[in-house]
Amino acid sequence: MQKKTLSLKWLLLGSLITNTGISFIWPLTTIYMHEYLHESLTTAGIVLFADSLFMIIGNYLGGLLFDRWNRYYTTLCGISLATIATGFLIFFHGWPAYPLFLILSGLGNGIVATCINSFATVVAGRPASYVFNLLYFTNNLGLVLGTLIVGFILPYGITYIFVLAFSLFALFLIVAAITYRVDPIKNPINRAKAATQVLNRRSQHQIFLLLFTLFVTWVAYEQWQSNIAAYMVAHQMTVKDYSLLWTFNAVLIVLLQPILTYFDQFLLKHLHGRMYLGFTLFASSFALLLIAKSYHLFILAMGVLTIGEILALPAVSTYVDQRVTLSQKGRYQGLVNVFASAGRAVGPLVGATIIESSSYQLVFLLCVCSILLATVFFALGNRTTGEKQTNNQ
């Protein structure tokens, strides 16, 4: 029987399972293709780019179908695609089967990510900002658990990794099939009337300024996940030192995100300031990298980045949710994921191109300037829109 609302615990469980399953597979792609399948690093990079591209397609498709078709079946289709593709990887993980099923899994997970974000806007009894904070926590917890487990399982063979990922996706498919059959509209209204609601041009302008800022931020963030490792090694630090930075990142998120969730009402009242501060801290972390020569400065930069991350990134979805109409929840949450995925896709390539033609210092400087400029334009757009709305009242 169809329920009226989706329970928060099932949404968070879905987020945790999905991100744990993804983190079993995605981080291993480059190593597996290069060391086991004996493909070049360039080929591995192309496959990762294709995976990101199909995840973007899944993000957009998920939002479109969530709004215009059926929310329950859209979610199940996404999970089923990821489950089937991962199931095939258990038996067919050579070349070219591995990249094919990896990309199909990325498409399914892109759909699922948007559906989870879209359902988050309509969980009963909790404001969307509170739910997005918790989702950000479970997303990162899943990534931490996944990468931790992989380290213990991989020595026994890659097949066991795919078995675990398949089992998790299959579990989520069962959970979603039972618990996600809901009507997520908090305040039931005429659906035909909802479908005709159109977002005004000023709100669209605001949202796309923010999404551009999100894109720029993720392009910069990807430097931490790709090119900064080589930069640290060049400064006589080890790969272990680099990996410990991400352990520090994960610990900070796990410790600080629940605190932010506790102060959700205060942060919701100061949503714009929260984002401005978060994006500014993001930029500041790269300013620190400009002068970082010792390991403690890299730790400090990562700490500043992480605080900026937990302030800004969950707030983006909340901001978008506040401005869209009921019939456009899925589409715009899909666009949030699209712009983030696009930044993740092009970030390593952009950074590597600049580094090869110039220097790491230029990359860091461009990251500082681009994030700050994008944030300023977004802030100006907010102020202008606010003034116009006030004048129209």
Side-chain angles (χ1 to χ4, degrees):
M1 182 178 177
Q2 183 166 301
K3 304 174 184 177
K4 288 187 177 181
T5 56
L6 177 63
S7 173
L8 177 59
K9 64 182 179 183
W10 299 122
L11 186 68
L12 296 177
L13 180 63
S15 168
L16 180 63
I17 292 174
T18 299
N19 283 280
T20 304
I22 290 172
S23 65
F24 281 155
I25 299 173
W26 193 86
L28 291 176
T29 298
T30 299
I31 296 172
Y32 179 68
M33 288 187 62
H34 189 57
E35 300 295 332
Y36 293 82
L37 299 183
H38 307 295
E39 299 293 331
S40 68
L41 289 174
T42 301
T43 301
I46 292 171
V47 170
L48 283 173
F49 180 79
D51 181 53
S52 296
L53 180 62
F54 272 78
M55 186 168 285
I56 290 170
I57 294 171
N59 291 149
Y60 184 77
L61 187 62
L64 200 65
L65 294 176
F66 190 91
D67 287 335
R68 298 187 181 182
W69 180 45
N70 184 292
R71 300 168 180 192
Y72 174 67
Y73 289 120
T74 298
T75 308
L76 292 189
C77 284
I79 304 169
S80 297
L81 188 57
T83 305
I84 292 169
T86 309
F88 274 109
L89 281 173
I90 296 173
F91 306 100
F92 308 102
H93 44 263
W95 182 268
Y98 175 76
L100 173 63
F101 292 124
L102 179 75
I103 289 168
L104 287 177
S105 176
L107 178 65
N109 285 318
I111 294 171
V112 173
T114 291
C115 288
I116 287 176
N117 261 31
S118 301
F119 271 117
T121 65
V122 287
V123 170
R126 297 289 187 181
S129 58
Y130 179 88
V131 180
F132 284 126
N133 282 333
L134 288 178
L135 279 178
Y136 200 77
F137 174 79
T138 54
N139 288 350
N140 283 280
L141 182 61
L143 295 175
V144 171
L145 290 175
T147 51
L148 180 65
I149 293 170
V150 162
F152 291 99
I153 302 298
L154 186 59
Y156 296 99
I158 193 73
T159 302
Y160 291 99
I161 298 295
F162 298 137
V163 169
L164 277 174
F166 170 78
S167 301
L168 281 177
F169 290 139
L171 173 62
F172 184 28
L173 181 59
I174 294 169
V175 169
I178 296 171
T179 64
Y180 279 52
R181 186 186 285 274
V182 298
D183 178 3
I185 297 178
K186 287 180 179 177
N187 301 309
I189 63 172
N190 183 281
R191 288 184 180 271
K193 181 179 179 182
T196 63
Q197 295 175 343
V198 178
L199 196 64
N200 67 70
R201 189 169 298 177
R202 290 196 296 272
S203 293
Q204 286 181 333
H205 179 70
Q206 262 188 317
I207 287 172
F208 279 100
L209 281 173
L210 176 57
L211 292 180
F212 176 72
T213 306
L214 179 67
F215 169 77
V216 169
T217 301
W218 269 109
V219 170
Y221 198 171
E222 281 302 304
Q223 307 315 309
W224 276 96
Q225 299 187 356
S226 56
N227 299 310
I228 287 176
Y231 181 71
M232 291 179 65
V233 170
H235 283 79
Q236 287 73 53
M237 282 166 262
T238 65
V239 174
K240 182 180 179 181
D241 291 330
Y242 171 73
S243 62
L244 283 174
L245 285 179
W246 289 107
T247 303
F248 178 54
N249 171 269
V251 169
L252 275 183
I253 290 174
V254 170
L255 291 176
L256 296 180
Q257 194 69 49
I259 297 174
L260 291 185
T261 303
Y262 181 79
F263 291 101
D264 178 67
Q265 287 300 317
F266 172 82
L267 293 171
L268 187 59
K269 291 178 182 178
H270 302 87
L271 184 63
H272 294 188
R274 172 183 177 175
M275 288 189 292
Y276 300 153
L277 177 60
F279 288 128
T280 301
L281 288 174
F282 250 106
S284 300
S285 71
F286 290 94
L288 285 170
L289 289 179
L290 283 168
I291 60 171
K293 303 298 179 187
S294 59
Y295 189 55
H296 75 273
L297 279 177
F298 283 94
I299 294 175
L300 178 60
M302 175 57 84
V304 171
L305 177 88
T306 305
I307 296 171
E309 174 185 352
I310 63 177
L311 282 171
L313 298 187
V316 171
S317 294
T318 301
Y319 180 92
V320 171
D321 176 60
Q322 287 183 341
R323 280 154 180 78
V324 300
T325 62
L326 179 65
S327 61
Q328 296 174 311
K329 298 283 188 183
R331 178 193 173 196
Y332 278 92
Q333 290 303 324
L335 286 175
V336 171
N337 285 320
V338 164
F339 276 77
S341 296
R344 286 193 290 265
V346 304
L349 179 61
V350 169
T353 302
I354 297 172
I355 290 165
E356 288 178 356
S357 62
S358 181
S359 67
Y360 284 97
Q361 300 300 313
L362 180 60
V363 170
F364 301 152
L365 183 60
L366 287 174
C367 287
V368 173
C369 295
S370 58
I371 294 173
L372 290 179
L373 281 174
T375 304
V376 167
F377 281 124
F378 169 55
L380 291 174
N382 260 341
R383 188 183 66 177
T384 303
T385 303
E387 288 172 355
K388 288 182 178 179
Q389 288 175 337
T390 302
N391 293 334
N392 289 336
Q393 289 176 348

